[in-house]
Amino acid sequence: MEIEKPETKKCLHCAKPITGRLDKKYCNDYCRNSYNNQTKRAGDKQIQEVNSIIRKNRRILKTLCPAGKATVSKELLDSMEYNYRFFSGIYRSSAPSKLVYFICYDYAFSPLNEEGKNMALIVEKEDHFNDFFENPWSA
């Protein structure tokens, strides 16, 4: 009667044989860290891409608004490749203006239509923006 040898486990990162505990997954700390970093990077790729776009949008708003408040044309935002689909929050101001601000961290813009021209009011984020909670289920 022949005794079967248990199958040798291999490191999840480098595929070298593992010795030691039965539940061990990596041959050393380097492989464990590398494997976990690689796995995390793959899972967070979309988050990193979206965050990168929002940071770029913020840089554009900050560049165009050195004094804390500015009005610029939509064409200028377009030429700087501002991406309107991505922002970190929304603030709706109360009457009388009822402007909607699209926030990118600490800067925001509100679309305006002045004399038939598409414009954007850019502001440095104001404290009261944080106090407002936008509930998407409330009418």
Side-chain angles (χ1 to χ4, degrees):
M1 179 182 230
E2 201 172 310
I3 299 175
E4 286 186 34
K5 287 184 179 179
E7 189 176 315
T8 304
K9 285 183 74 173
K10 298 190 186 245
C11 176
L12 292 177
H13 182 66
C14 71
K16 289 181 184 173
I18 297 175
T19 58
R21 293 188 338 257
L22 294 175
D23 63 341
K24 201 170 175 184
K25 297 178 183 179
Y26 311 98
C27 59
N28 57 39
D29 285 340
Y30 173 79
C31 281
R32 179 179 48 82
N33 287 329
S34 295
Y35 181 85
N36 288 328
N37 287 340
Q38 193 174 31
T39 305
K40 183 180 179 211
R41 275 195 301 269
D44 289 348
K45 187 174 182 180
Q46 184 179 11
I47 294 168
Q48 291 171 348
E49 289 172 0
V50 169
N51 198 33
S52 177
I53 294 168
I54 296 172
R55 281 195 322 264
K56 180 180 177 186
N57 283 349
R58 181 205 174 270
R59 278 193 304 274
I60 292 169
L61 295 178
K62 183 179 180 183
T63 300
L64 296 174
C65 184
K69 190 173 186 177
T71 303
V72 299
S73 68
K74 179 185 179 297
E75 288 79 22
L76 181 57
L77 287 173
D78 292 343
S79 71
M80 296 177 82
E81 298 180 356
Y82 189 92
N83 190 328
Y84 301 98
R85 293 180 52 215
F86 296 94
F87 44 88
S88 60
I90 297 176
Y91 174 77
R92 296 179 199 277
S93 65
S94 56
S97 64
K98 292 193 175 185
L99 295 176
V100 177
Y101 290 89
F102 297 90
I103 302 167
C104 292
Y105 302 123
D106 56 340
Y107 284 86
F109 89 93
S110 180
L112 303 173
N113 191 321
E114 292 183 357
E115 300 172 11
K117 290 184 178 181
N118 289 328
M119 305 292 285
L121 171 63
I122 301 172
V123 296
E124 197 164 355
K125 189 173 164 187
E126 300 166 7
D127 290 339
H128 63 275
F129 283 19
N130 293 329
D131 298 334
F132 190 86
F133 174 73
E134 183 68 30
N135 183 343
W137 287 275
S138 65

